[in-house]
Amino acid sequence: MSGPKVVRIVTREEILEICHGHLARVDAALAEWTRIGRRNDCIDDEAVVAAQRRRDALAMLIAQDRFADLQKQAPIETEFLRDDLQQRLAKVAAEQTAARTREQRECEAASALLRALRKTGTPLDPDLEKGLERGDSAATARGFLLLGETRPVQADTYLAAKLRDDAPPASFADWARAQPAPPQDPAIDRVAARIMEIAQITDLEEEANWQSRLVEAASAPAKRRHLILDALEVETGRALTTARRRIAAIAALHATLAEAEAAGLDVGRWRADIDLAELGEIEAREAEAASSIQTHREAKAVQARRAAVLEGLSGLGYEVAEGMSTAWASEGRLVIRSAARPDYGVELSGADRFQMRPVAFDANGRGPDPARDKDAETIWCGDVTGLEQRLAALGDGLKIEKALPIGAVPLKRIEIGGADGGARIEAPVLRQRTLR
């Protein structure tokens, strides 16, 4: 297959740009993981060091030219950081829920104790009474001692056995935990969990108001409790949905802006006042930034591919001149003469994919003998192999997507002017690309 060919060129610069974009997204995810984790006190220095070590290992893959491994592992690390943060936040929420339940039960026990003391007619210290009303554990311990003094001493075989065994007396917290849990409307726990989740991921001005209404609902009559909880269900549900969408949109924007910065784009206009922007504005900025990255990369990639092909053909003896890459971009095609075979050359066209075909030159209606065209196509076949090898040596790649066999189509002939039968171009040596 040595006739016209359609090839795709992948340059080292193009792959590096993609890999650095992946790494920038990992950096953004790591920063978000650290910020929210620190805020909720669910990560420690050891976890941060381990995460940074994994990030550095990904960067090392780029240094080792293991680009495919980086492109596979970077998204996995980003997803891991996101999932790990959710698990840590869920654990914190569970601990907060358990603490709230213990506190609630202690308050209920203190209230029951206060009622029992009042029934005995025992005079109560005002400070003790206020402490029991607040559910203060120290006041509750004093109240139990006072209640014990008002009751006759009774033989207690179990207690005597405990004393004989020198067992430590049970604390109030132990006693409170041992009491059966009173029935509670499941909506209370559901609303409390929502409030905790919202507070974990964003600033929450309504938290104090919601918490006070939740406390009121716990002891309110059934009708009043249902009214309070129904309103809280609607308010917290709407707020949680909004908070989740907003935090996801901000995280996506930060990741895209990190990738854009890695590509060398100015992100100032997209980053300005993110915390004050509405959700729709945040999503629009992310979409615009992503589109700009794609456009920027495509333009750079096409430029790098053209430079790579021209540099390779120059090394194979084709007359490549400075400025030809620009001419190719502006005109959409470029014809280059072979220095060893001045009657023949190659025509290049395309951007994402290149079409390369051997051509013959006619001057003033005269050109090479058509019988030589098949030999020219055979030589061009060897040149394509040589171009592929040169590109590979520089870290680039060439893949033939379509090729026609020798003689499948007549060799294209191009008319050139000039008395000497040529259209030579002053051709200074093409400058080397920056590869690393």
Side-chain angles (χ1 to χ4, degrees):
M1 296 290 182
S2 304
K5 294 175 172 57
V6 176
V7 302
R8 177 170 176 78
I9 308 293
V10 180
T11 66
R12 178 184 174 84
E13 290 95 327
E14 184 178 353
I15 297 174
L16 280 172
E17 180 115 359
I18 293 172
C19 289
H20 285 300
H22 278 295
L23 189 61
R25 284 184 167 273
V26 172
D27 288 338
L30 179 57
E32 189 77 358
W33 177 83
T34 303
R35 182 183 68 82
I36 297 179
R38 293 287 196 194
R39 169 178 173 165
N40 292 278
D41 197 25
C42 60
I43 61 172
D44 52 23
D45 292 339
E46 183 178 352
V48 173
V49 170
Q52 186 63 47
R53 190 179 298 118
R54 293 195 304 272
R55 183 269 176 203
D56 292 342
L58 291 174
M60 185 59 65
L61 294 178
I62 299 179
Q64 297 171 347
D65 287 357
R66 295 170 59 187
F67 304 133
D69 290 338
L70 182 280
Q71 293 179 61
K72 291 178 182 178
Q73 295 180 27
I76 294 174
E77 176 64 17
T78 301
E79 188 68 23
F80 169 78
L81 289 171
R82 185 179 300 113
D83 292 343
D84 180 72
L85 179 60
Q86 292 304 315
Q87 292 175 8
R88 291 174 183 271
L89 292 177
K91 182 179 179 182
V92 170
E95 292 172 350
Q96 291 175 344
T97 301
R100 178 180 174 277
T101 300
R102 287 194 301 270
E103 181 180 354
Q104 182 178 349
R105 294 180 64 183
E106 289 176 3
C107 288
E108 292 170 351
S111 297
L113 177 58
L114 180 58
R115 291 193 297 270
L117 287 171
R118 285 171 175 169
K119 285 182 180 180
T120 65
T122 304
L124 297 178
D125 184 336
D127 291 338
L128 174 61
E129 193 168 6
K130 290 180 180 179
L132 290 174
E133 289 174 350
R134 294 193 306 268
D136 183 70
S137 58
T140 305
R142 287 176 55 200
F144 270 111
L145 292 175
L146 183 59
L147 183 63
E149 294 173 358
T150 64
R151 294 183 175 179
V153 178
Q154 298 180 353
D156 190 329
T157 305
Y158 176 75
L159 178 58
K162 286 291 185 181
L163 292 174
R164 284 196 301 270
D165 294 339
D166 296 327
S171 67
F172 165 69
D174 294 332
W175 177 88
R177 281 193 292 269
Q179 303 310 302
Q184 178 172 279
D185 193 323
I188 293 179
D189 290 334
R190 186 165 57 249
V191 171
R194 285 180 182 172
I195 296 173
M196 292 176 190
E197 183 177 350
I198 298 170
Q200 285 177 335
I201 60 179
T202 188
D203 294 330
L204 184 58
E205 296 178 356
E206 300 89 346
E207 182 175 9
N209 173 264
W210 286 343
Q211 292 288 7
S212 65
R213 290 160 64 188
L214 204 58
V215 170
E216 179 187 355
S219 57
K223 289 186 178 180
R224 173 65 178 166
R225 182 175 67 251
H226 291 158
L227 287 174
I228 296 173
L229 292 177
D230 287 347
L232 286 174
E233 287 267 21
V234 173
E235 293 175 27
T236 58
R238 185 184 297 119
L240 179 56
T241 299
T242 301
R244 284 174 174 171
R245 286 188 61 191
R246 181 178 179 81
I247 199 68
I250 290 177
L253 177 56
H254 281 310
T256 302
L257 294 187
E259 188 174 2
E261 282 188 311
L265 297 179
D266 181 6
V267 301
R269 68 183 186 279
W270 297 315
R271 179 165 287 158
D273 299 324
I274 290 178
D275 293 336
L276 302 178
E278 297 293 334
L279 176 61
E281 172 67 17
I282 293 172
E283 293 174 339
R285 291 186 189 185
E286 195 279 330
E288 183 182 347
S291 177
S292 295
I293 292 172
Q294 184 67 21
T295 301
H296 174 78
R297 280 186 178 166
E298 288 176 355
K300 285 189 66 175
V302 170
Q303 182 180 7
R305 292 168 195 157
R306 286 173 176 153
V309 170
L310 292 176
E311 184 177 332
L313 291 176
S314 176
L316 292 171
Y318 286 81
E319 297 178 352
V320 176
E322 188 74 21
M324 280 187 169
S325 182
T326 302
W328 184 355
S330 63
E331 298 179 12
R333 61 188 289 272
L334 181 70
V335 177
I336 307 175
R337 188 197 300 269
S338 170
R341 297 172 292 112
D343 291 337
Y344 292 95
V346 60
E347 181 184 62
L348 307 171
S349 61
D352 182 40
R353 290 168 174 79
F354 295 160
Q355 183 182 57
M356 302 189 299
R357 61 183 301 171
V359 295
F361 297 116
D362 287 346
N364 299 322
R366 301 177 59 185
D369 184 351
R372 297 170 50 201
D373 288 355
K374 287 189 177 181
D375 292 336
E377 289 190 77
T378 302
I379 294 172
W380 166 241
C381 178
D383 288 343
V384 171
T385 301
L387 177 62
E388 184 176 7
Q389 293 172 346
R390 284 177 174 273
L391 291 176
L394 296 174
D396 303 330
L398 182 152
K399 179 181 179 181
I400 299 175
E401 296 187 344
K402 181 179 179 181
L404 297 178
I406 294 175
V409 294
L411 198 67
K412 183 177 181 179
R413 309 186 86 79
I414 297 177
E415 183 71 26
I416 58 177
D420 61 351
R424 300 188 60 82
I425 302 173
E426 294 298 326
V429 178
L430 186 68
R431 289 179 294 192
Q432 294 288 322
R433 291 180 296 144
T434 300
L435 298 178
R436 298 179 185 270

